[in-house]
Amino acid sequence: MARIRHYDYNQTSMVVINYQDQLQLGTFEHALHYLISKKLNLSAFHQPYKNDREGRPAYDPAILLKIILFAYSKGITSSREIQWCCETNIIFKALSCDTVPHFTTIAHFVSSQPQSIEDLFEQVLLVCDQQGLLGHELFAIDGCKMRANAAKEWSGTFKELEEKRQKLKRLIRHHLSEHQDRDIRKAKAILTLDKAAKKIDHFLQQNQPRMGQGKRSKEIKSNITENQFRSRDPKFAHQKEKYGKQIYSHRMSVVEPVFDNIGTNKRLNRFSLRGKTKVQGQWQLYCLVHNVEKLAKYGHLSP
């Protein structure tokens, strides 16, 4: 009979952990910790806080950034899962100094700081330039389709959108005829309805119905918000010329690896936020992760 090493689940042991030692030199978590702690200016993230004299102490934005970016690098986007990782994973514990922010705090931080995230992205890009990681030879711009949350009220066939437009116009006429006292709240309601009606009207004028494939193709429901992300920069209207084709061919080695890394390795196949500004902020967080990975692998960051 084979002899098995003895083990006992009831045994007690004391494990002494130094969180700094968990962030090994050359790893992504070390580069992330060093950049946020030593290199980047996070003053923009502190401005929304108004608890300098009263109120509960807030979590340091540096800690929130570290755990969120590290989670994104592992393909974790759920705020609840990030909170769970802070409770159970030693690297998350090291980055958060054994604090456990609530998932609502994490979600609010991601969705409420798009402008500060953009500023942080620029700072990391400057660090990449200082480290000699930018060649200054070719700057490529490309795009990829990515799912995001969209309100159902802005979805429908052209017939359904036309009916919605007529309904909004009837509501506007009702408010204008019934409420002539210029009440501020009612005036705001009228402006909101008018804006929604114009939004649908503009979409119906600028777009055509989308038909499905097959012999009995039916109209596919359109979403008005999708059109906001499909605009093309007119500066690239002549990219099909000979010189443009030559430059465009480099996208496979310049831009596509970035999309592949973020979409496949980081498992970003859908944004968890709604609205162009918030989605842009979350996308820049993923781009931050990509750039920090480059710094960790090819940069020369001090310990």
Side-chain angles (χ1 to χ4, degrees):
M1 184 176 180
R3 291 185 298 167
I4 306 298
R5 287 180 177 270
H6 175 73
Y7 56 89
D8 182 9
Y9 283 112
N10 292 320
Q11 63 182 334
T12 302
S13 63
M14 179 178 292
V15 181
V16 180
I17 298 175
N18 183 286
Y19 291 131
Q20 188 71 41
D21 293 341
Q22 308 306 312
L23 308 176
Q24 295 294 315
L25 184 64
T27 61
F28 174 83
E29 53 267 24
H30 174 269
L32 181 64
H33 172 69
Y34 176 78
L35 283 170
I36 293 178
S37 300
K38 304 292 185 181
K39 287 285 189 180
L40 304 180
N41 180 9
L42 305 181
S43 58
F45 290 93
H46 290 267
Q47 293 177 2
Y49 296 102
K50 307 295 182 183
N51 62 341
D52 51 337
R53 294 185 179 180
E54 57 185 12
R56 291 182 60 185
Y59 286 101
D60 191 340
I63 284 181
L64 294 175
L65 279 170
K66 290 175 185 178
I67 61 175
I68 290 169
L69 291 174
F70 184 69
Y72 281 12
S73 74
K74 300 300 180 183
I76 301 172
T77 57
S78 169
S79 301
R80 287 179 170 85
E81 190 171 354
I82 295 175
Q83 177 186 342
W84 179 79
C85 288
C86 289
E87 297 171 349
T88 59
N89 186 283
I90 187 60
I91 303 299
F92 277 92
K93 282 178 172 290
L95 291 172
S96 65
C97 287
D98 205 18
T99 59
V100 184
H102 196 261
F103 71 88
T104 55
T105 301
I106 297 171
H108 180 264
F109 183 82
V110 173
S111 62
S112 64
Q113 302 272 11
Q115 191 61 44
S116 302
I117 292 171
E118 182 178 350
D119 177 67
L120 191 69
F121 175 79
E122 294 174 357
Q123 292 185 56
V124 173
L125 203 60
L126 288 175
V127 175
C128 291
D129 189 27
Q130 294 171 3
Q131 295 283 326
L133 299 182
L134 299 184
H136 299 282
E137 296 177 358
L138 176 65
F139 290 88
I141 299 176
D142 203 351
C144 66
K145 292 184 179 180
M146 196 76 67
R147 293 179 179 272
N149 288 336
K152 290 184 178 180
E153 62 177 311
W154 299 114
S155 299
T157 62
F158 270 54
K159 181 180 179 181
E160 292 170 344
L161 291 174
E162 176 64 32
E163 291 175 354
K164 182 176 178 63
R165 178 174 63 172
Q166 296 301 328
K167 181 180 179 180
L168 289 171
K169 288 184 176 180
R170 288 196 299 270
L171 286 172
I172 292 172
R173 289 195 295 269
H174 169 74
H175 282 290
L176 290 174
S177 61
E178 295 294 329
H179 308 289
Q180 299 293 336
D181 55 355
R182 296 186 179 181
D183 182 83
I184 295 178
R185 287 180 298 176
K186 293 169 184 175
K188 287 184 177 180
I190 294 173
L191 289 174
T192 302
L193 292 170
D194 185 56
K195 183 179 179 181
K198 288 181 178 179
K199 186 176 180 180
I200 296 176
D201 187 51
H202 177 75
F203 178 83
L204 293 175
Q205 291 178 2
Q206 299 294 325
N207 296 273
Q208 297 294 327
R210 295 190 300 166
M211 306 304 295
Q213 298 179 354
K215 295 182 179 179
R216 299 181 179 179
S217 60
K218 296 182 179 180
E219 182 183 350
I220 300 174
K221 288 188 177 183
S222 302
N223 190 280
I224 294 177
T225 56
E226 289 180 2
N227 197 46
Q228 300 174 4
F229 299 91
R230 293 182 175 180
S231 58
R232 190 175 185 85
D233 196 322
K235 292 185 294 184
F236 302 99
H238 304 292
Q239 68 177 10
K240 292 186 178 181
E241 297 177 359
K242 184 177 180 180
Y243 181 66
K245 286 184 178 180
Q246 183 181 358
I247 296 177
Y248 190 68
S249 64
H250 289 288
R251 76 187 191 281
M252 293 298 293
S253 59
V254 178
V255 181
E256 295 299 337
V258 179
F259 293 148
D260 185 61
N261 178 39
I262 294 176
T264 303
N265 298 334
K266 306 300 178 289
R267 299 196 290 273
L268 176 64
N269 54 16
R270 184 186 184 92
F271 291 106
S272 58
L273 301 177
R274 178 178 295 174
K276 188 175 181 179
T277 303
K278 294 180 180 180
V279 167
Q280 179 71 12
Q282 192 173 30
W283 171 251
Q284 286 179 333
L285 283 174
Y286 273 96
C287 293
L288 268 170
V289 170
H290 179 83
N291 289 340
V292 174
E293 282 184 337
K294 296 295 184 183
L295 285 168
K297 191 172 183 179
Y298 303 109
H300 304 282
L301 300 178
S302 302

